[in-house]
Amino acid sequence: MLPKRRHIVMLLAGSALVYALVYLQAVKGEPYEYAREWVSSDPRVIEVTGAQHAQGFNFWHGYEYSFGATEGSASLELSIEGGRGKFNVPLVLQKRQGRWTVVSAKAVNEKGETVVIVG
């Protein structure tokens, strides 16, 4: 017996809703906000990317986090368009005693060339 068209539509709509909720949770979370601010203001990142014109969140490349009020960790990837081109910036963050820090960061340009920024 084949599934009915309405069941397939309901499954697709439900999947889209779950994805949207997870994405919105991610972009409103502490790790993402800290990562955006850090990438925008850290002179080492700006030296590699040039003046930044746009930032994005590479949600499909993975986003993992686990944190509470004082401890936690996260890994995510941002995309940056800057004066020196387009870059993907994977980050690993650590939260200790309520403060986030960058443990690892690198910038990967469109040619696949990597510059280690932290770590």
Side-chain angles (χ1 to χ4, degrees):
M1 181 170 156
L2 294 173
K4 294 184 179 183
R5 178 171 281 169
R6 71 174 180 237
H7 293 134
I8 293 171
V9 170
M10 288 174 51
L11 177 65
L12 291 174
S15 297
L17 179 62
V18 168
Y19 170 78
L21 291 173
V22 170
Y23 180 80
L24 289 173
Q25 169 65 27
V27 299
K28 296 296 181 188
E30 280 182 28
Y32 173 73
E33 293 296 328
Y34 177 82
R36 279 193 54 176
E37 176 61 31
W38 185 84
V39 165
S40 298
S41 62
D42 188 273
R44 297 168 291 183
V45 177
I46 296 167
E47 182 180 329
V48 172
T49 64
Q52 297 176 14
H53 312 297
Q55 283 185 357
F57 182 32
N58 294 343
F59 185 74
W60 292 108
H61 292 187
Y63 178 60
E64 297 178 33
Y65 67 93
S66 172
F67 66 93
T70 59
E71 305 293 321
S73 63
S75 64
L76 62 139
E77 185 173 297
L78 300 178
S79 60
I80 297 173
E81 288 184 37
R84 296 195 173 124
K86 295 181 181 180
F87 297 84
N88 289 325
V89 181
L91 300 150
V92 176
L93 309 175
Q94 187 75 41
K95 184 178 186 182
R96 292 184 189 221
Q97 298 178 351
R99 296 193 58 190
W100 287 100
T101 58
V102 176
V103 176
S104 169
K106 59 185 176 181
V108 183
N109 68 14
E110 293 176 295
K111 296 177 185 175
E113 301 166 335
T114 301
V115 176
V116 176
I117 299 169
V118 176

